[in-house]
Amino acid sequence: TIGPKMKPLKPAKGLVVENVDRDGAAAENGLKPGDVILAVNRSEIDSVEQFKRILASRRGGSMVLLLINRNGDEGYVRFSLPE
């Protein structure tokens, strides 16, 4: 698993990161509780299932590009999937 617990952000698009395992991939890649994941590889995200499906379609060790909103600031984070 990548580690973070998330929930859909309704009615807006995106997933709120609720917590992050400090030893997990999410923490290693810089995700923090309260971050909102808006897109993966430039595709908008609106469900945890969709997020998991996209990551499952990628090989371990590959990179994905996450668009996140942190405290009102949007930016991209390169996320390395666990092997």
Side-chain angles (χ1 to χ4, degrees):
T1 75
I2 62 167
K5 181 178 177 188
M6 298 172 288
K7 67 178 181 181
L9 186 62
K10 298 196 178 195
K13 297 279 186 187
L15 301 175
V16 177
V17 177
E18 293 185 312
N19 64 37
V20 175
D21 178 1
R22 67 177 159 204
D23 297 323
E28 291 174 8
N29 285 281
L31 288 181
K32 298 180 180 182
D35 285 351
V36 178
I37 301 171
L38 301 169
V40 178
N41 289 341
R42 303 190 192 277
S43 295
E44 287 186 350
I45 296 296
D46 58 9
S47 74
V48 174
E49 294 77 20
Q50 179 188 19
F51 180 79
K52 288 179 178 179
R53 193 170 48 252
I54 291 171
L55 295 189
S57 71
R58 307 286 298 197
R59 291 188 355 206
S62 64
M63 298 285 268
V64 294
L65 188 64
L66 303 180
L67 175 60
I68 66 165
N69 182 308
R70 179 177 292 157
N71 300 320
D73 294 324
E74 288 187 10
Y76 286 97
V77 172
R78 290 182 188 267
F79 192 98
S80 179
L81 297 175
E83 300 261 350

